[in-house]
Amino acid sequence: MVPALLVRVRVLFWGIASFAVILGGLGLPSLALAEEQGSLLTKHDIKLYGFVDVSYTQNFNHPDTSPGTNSLRIFDVDSDAFRVHMAQIVFEKEGKTGGEMLDRAGFRVKLNFGEDSQFTGGSDFGDETDFQEVYVQYVAPFGNGLDLRLGRQNTLIGFEVIESPYNPNFSRSWLFGLGEPFTTTGVRAAYAFNENVSLAVGGISSFTQGTGDTNSDVSLESALSVSLHERLGVTGFLFWGNEQARNTPGAGDLILGGGIVTVDVTEQTSAVVEAYYANQANASTISPAGNSRWNGVAAYLIHDFTDQWGVRVRGEIFEDAGGARACGGTLSPPRAGVCAGATAGAASPLAPIAQTLWETTFTVQYKPVPPLITRLEFRYDKSNKNTFQDGVNASNNQQTLALEVIYLF
């Protein structure tokens, strides 16, 4: 345990040192020097912020795997163990809609350290270190301002995101973890027609939760957001492109379409529903030359009793009809989407399994002070197949209890 912790400390130190070298390479002063001079960060509205995220998860199935792994989870994969999820540093300047050219130009560099960085979809340039987002921005003086961005960014698709503090629950949904991209690389244009309607369209290189591209084709990603009322918002999203699925190099176009409805019931209570349907030609891992299909719906109820105390409830159903999205992981890092029977370092994942998954998640959130977020979460998972690990046996269900602590800075 101690040697592993020392390795992570060294990785964290190396990553921070690398970040300092990057800043030096850009000709930027150190943070201490910038604070002393009071020039760079204040003059150009450059921001530096981030968070640290750690947790402990207890799996009541006590899976007999090495290492202990929660089946079909995305980032909370460690069973009966602590996990250093992420230490994230964001260095950015947001482009503005008015002013001179320098005011309209911007950038973002988002650097992750920790175990989750192995699977955040950026450029994994070291053990537990990853550039999740790196892009440059320019807001062109067209109408209300045309926001242009080039580089790697978080996807436009879906309600949940990689960063845990910005999600209502600790664990991620299957809609997010199994069926949607995490980050995309390419060019994106966004335009707000007015305060109620905005559109974003991007030409990107891949649809994947991991790193790298599967082919040289460019795919389309888009999102249209409409505020129908001060308490009601709707976002529709679409992905379309020629993307290869796992173990199916002859796969054709992938089309994913869906939407998110957000309702502010009261000032303290909100409800969110996300649903989508995805289909990819010739990508089924079960039926030769058949299409792969996955779809699902997730509903969230978010209530804050006070500024400190709140509860979040999520219910979800996810169908992997073609067997191409779930059970593709192994017991080697990063271990996401692992099903019962997986082994460490396997040359190929388990045999494809078509299944329908259900889960219900209850989260209690408490903020002792504004920068500190603590969460206690119970989650119940179920499948119509025996894909969860229960001791040495396969099971159709799984229950976990997790404690998460996040510090924002």
Side-chain angles (χ1 to χ4, degrees):
M1 180 68 180
V2 174
L5 180 60
L6 291 176
V7 169
R8 290 175 185 169
V9 170
R10 285 196 291 267
V11 168
L12 180 61
F13 176 80
W14 176 82
I16 294 175
S18 300
F19 189 71
V21 169
I22 293 169
L23 297 186
L26 292 173
L28 302 178
S30 67
L31 294 178
L33 182 58
E35 188 177 64
E36 179 181 337
Q37 293 179 340
S39 58
L40 180 72
L41 299 181
T42 56
K43 183 177 180 180
H44 299 299
D45 296 325
I46 295 177
K47 302 175 183 178
L48 180 65
Y49 60 94
F51 66 88
V52 177
D53 179 17
V54 297
S55 74
Y56 178 86
T57 302
Q58 179 72 34
N59 189 323
F60 295 105
N61 283 8
H62 303 295
D64 185 19
T65 58
S66 182
T69 301
N70 300 320
S71 301
L72 285 170
R73 294 294 180 84
I74 312 308
F75 295 141
D76 56 326
V77 296
D78 291 337
S79 167
D80 306 337
F82 290 96
R83 182 175 177 89
V84 180
H85 288 278
M86 187 182 296
Q88 184 179 92
I89 297 175
V90 182
F91 187 62
E92 73 172 357
K93 174 187 177 296
E94 296 183 68
K96 299 180 179 180
T97 57
E100 301 177 355
M101 181 173 291
L102 182 60
D103 298 318
R104 293 178 174 275
F107 70 91
R108 173 180 286 179
V109 177
K110 183 180 291 184
L111 182 58
N112 297 337
F113 308 98
E115 296 178 70
D116 288 358
S117 66
Q118 300 171 93
F119 205 62
T120 54
S123 297
D124 190 0
F125 67 89
D127 184 22
E128 300 186 4
T129 311
D130 172 59
F131 275 117
Q132 180 183 323
E133 289 191 293
V134 180
Y135 65 80
V136 293
Q137 175 191 25
Y138 180 71
V139 182
F142 173 81
N144 296 325
L146 181 62
D147 189 338
L148 303 172
R149 303 184 185 189
L150 177 64
R152 177 175 294 110
Q153 305 169 66
N154 280 356
T155 181
L156 293 170
I157 295 174
F159 172 65
E160 295 185 11
V161 294
I162 291 172
E163 295 87 351
S164 186
Y166 311 138
N167 293 319
N169 303 99
F170 159 59
S171 64
R172 306 306 194 277
S173 67
W174 288 312
L175 268 71
F176 167 82
L178 298 179
E180 299 172 345
F182 292 171
T183 61
T184 57
T185 303
V187 61
R188 179 182 298 172
Y191 186 79
F193 297 94
N194 52 50
E195 61 180 9
N196 296 320
V197 181
S198 62
L199 174 67
V201 179
I204 62 177
S205 59
S206 67
F207 178 104
T208 177
Q209 288 91 336
T211 59
D213 188 11
T214 56
N215 54 50
S216 58
D217 294 337
V218 175
S219 299
L220 172 72
E221 181 187 40
S222 63
L224 175 66
S225 298
V226 179
S227 178
L228 301 176
H229 185 270
E230 62 180 4
R231 293 183 178 273
L232 175 63
V234 177
T235 297
F237 51 79
L238 173 70
F239 182 97
W240 177 34
N242 185 3
E243 297 292 331
Q244 297 177 359
R246 173 172 60 89
N247 296 335
T248 53
D253 284 359
L254 186 158
I255 299 177
L256 185 152
I260 305 165
V261 178
T262 303
V263 181
D264 293 329
V265 182
T266 68
E267 292 184 356
Q268 295 175 293
T269 306
S270 60
V272 179
V273 176
E274 178 189 0
Y276 66 72
Y277 175 89
N279 193 299
Q280 186 170 12
N282 302 322
S284 174
T285 55
I286 298 175
S287 302
N291 291 355
S292 176
R293 174 176 61 84
W294 64 96
N295 54 87
V297 59
Y300 305 77
L301 181 64
I302 304 166
H303 178 76
D304 291 319
F305 298 100
T306 66
D307 292 338
Q308 290 184 304
W309 288 97
V311 294
R312 290 89 172 92
V313 181
R314 179 182 65 212
E316 174 190 16
I317 181 171
F318 181 84
E319 182 185 17
D320 182 16
R325 307 310 301 180
C327 298
T330 72
L331 294 182
S332 299
R335 293 187 287 148
V338 173
C339 288
T343 58
S348 60
L350 292 172
I353 302 172
Q355 64 180 312
T356 299
L357 296 162
W358 303 265
E359 62 96 354
T360 306
T361 301
F362 303 90
T363 304
V364 177
Q365 179 170 292
Y366 173 60
K367 297 181 180 179
V369 292
L372 186 63
I373 302 173
T374 64
R375 290 170 174 166
L376 183 66
E377 175 180 290
F378 175 79
R379 174 166 168 169
Y380 177 80
D381 298 332
K382 189 172 179 61
S383 172
N384 64 341
K385 300 292 178 64
N386 292 330
T387 51
F388 297 102
Q389 188 78 29
D390 187 355
V392 297
N393 302 312
S395 172
N396 66 0
N397 67 86
Q398 172 180 259
Q399 307 90 40
T400 59
L401 182 67
L403 173 65
E404 179 186 32
V405 180
I406 304 169
Y407 189 85
L408 306 169
F409 60 87

